[in-house]
Amino acid sequence: MAAAQRIVMENCSIATVDADDTEYATGYVVLAGNRIESLGAGRAPEGLADVVRRIDATGHLVTPGLVNTHHHFYQWITRGLATDHNLFDWLVALYPTWARIDEPMVRAAARGSLAMMARGGVTTAMDHHYVFPEGSGDLSGAIIGAARDLGVRFTLARGSMDRSEKDGGLPPDFAVETLDAALAATEATVNAHHDTSFDAMTQVAVAPCSPFSVSTELLREGAELGRRLGVRLHTHGSETVEEEKFCHELFGMGPTDYFESTGWLGEDVWMAHCVHMNDSDIDAFARTRTGVAHCPSSNARLAAGIARVPDMLAAGVPVGLGVDGTASNESGELHTELRNALLVNRLGAHREAALTARQALRLGTYGGAQVLGRAREIGSLEPGKLADLVLWRMDTLAHASIADPVSALVLGAAAPVTASFVNGRQIVADGRLLTADEDEIAHSTRQEARRLAEIAARA
């Protein structure tokens, strides 16, 4: 640490999101290499050696980088379709198109998804990719390569499906893998790409898609595989009333009981959505420390309902935020989820304090780090943690008249990102990516979206 090159930021407001929600009205942050070395009120310590850069952050709020806990990158090239559908009808409408993706499409879509998140303050992202058409190429490698190129810390949730239309599922028969093929490919992906180090930039989770698109055997054996390999587990759960009905009809129990029967509750598990949860379900998640990725915009887009996030938090359930796939959240960035999580959870009489601005920021930072299993490394600004942080500009027309910078960030318009650092490396400056050409990404995603639409139309 003493010999590491240092970056010093001063004159900024700071929201650390540590255990005490420590905040500084005017303070400093010192980065040394890829770690946060120190932070506090007032000016940075005098006499620091090896300072390569000083940033006057007057008018800025510094927070931990945002952590996205649920996404489907490939959907970037199918945005704006089936805009008035519920989840099941939306899936039926789009699966035939998704089943024709290939490696160039997935690479372009991943770059588009990552670029949009990164320029909006996301420093850690994840992708739940579960569509692997035969002969489509190295899709996992393309996604991981895109994250590496853009400099974003990343978790690939290697998904899978083996329950197709002929088995009573929703995906077309040609869009799924066999049980053995899915497990083998998932294990190979973990072995090739999962990094266990403290400052890992790439990790892998085992992630069968959902109760209505995978067999009980794939869920059960997927959980066993993940625990044998020492990686986390991810899936969709309790997203819609139709899913609950499906589970009762097929398995004779609700989604949470079904997940528990297959080994899918535990502190190494997080699930997306969890909208339709009763008190018993929430208690089970709290008892087992099973995490939740809350996706308010997508849940509203698909009319799935409102997750009981305040009740989950009160019970001790780890909760983070997710963009979800951009075919059900066309904006594709996480600041929207900070704001919508707060607003959606206040809907109803006498719910004006159901969720606060600081709780929303915590969901998008430390809460996300918790559900990804990385709370020791990221999610809050503390000495020794990794240097993943964002400088939000708060002195422009959009925010300057709001005295409380955290309220301004969460409730206001999307704040400009003056600088975003991942692992001590700056990846965004003045709202633009430093690691990729945004215009080239926009062009390639448009081209691949058109190509996919043409292929799907011919089919």
Side-chain angles (χ1 to χ4, degrees), residues 300-319:
R301 159 81 149 80
L302 297 174
I306 302 172
R308 296 172 57 188
V309 170
D311 295 334
M312 294 179 192
L313 295 175
V317 176
V319 183

Side-chain angles (χ1 to χ4, degrees), residues 152-202:
V152 177
R153 202 177 300 282
F154 181 59
T155 294
L156 175 67
R158 203 291 180 182
S160 52
M161 301 185 293
D162 69 340
R163 184 192 295 277
S164 65
E165 289 176 325
K166 66 180 174 56
D167 304 310
L170 295 179
D173 295 340
F174 60 87
V176 304
E177 300 173 282
T178 66
L179 169 66
D180 290 342
L183 293 170
T186 301
E187 182 166 8
T189 303
V190 173
N191 290 337
H193 298 290
H194 183 67
D195 184 354
T196 61
S197 62
F198 184 87
D199 57 356
M201 291 295 291
T202 304

Side-chain angles (χ1 to χ4, degrees), residues 81-91 94 239-240 242 273 296-305 324-325 327-329:
L81 304 177
T83 56
D84 303 307
H85 293 49
N86 67 21
L87 175 68
F88 275 32
D89 292 342
W90 176 83
L91 290 171
L94 291 176
E239 186 172 0
T240 65
E242 291 85 1
H273 305 298
S297 296
S298 176
N299 293 341
R301 159 81 149 80
L302 297 174
D324 202 11
S328 64
N329 178 1

Side-chain angles (χ1 to χ4, degrees), residues 231 249 259 289 300 395 404:
V231 299
E249 289 178 351
F259 281 127
R289 298 291 293 167
D395 61 357
D404 174 14

Side-chain angles (χ1 to χ4, degrees), residues 248 253-262 265 280-281 284:
H248 276 287
M253 63 186 86
T256 298
D257 290 337
Y258 175 60
F259 281 127
E260 187 155 34
S261 75
T262 56
L265 294 186
S280 177
D281 297 328

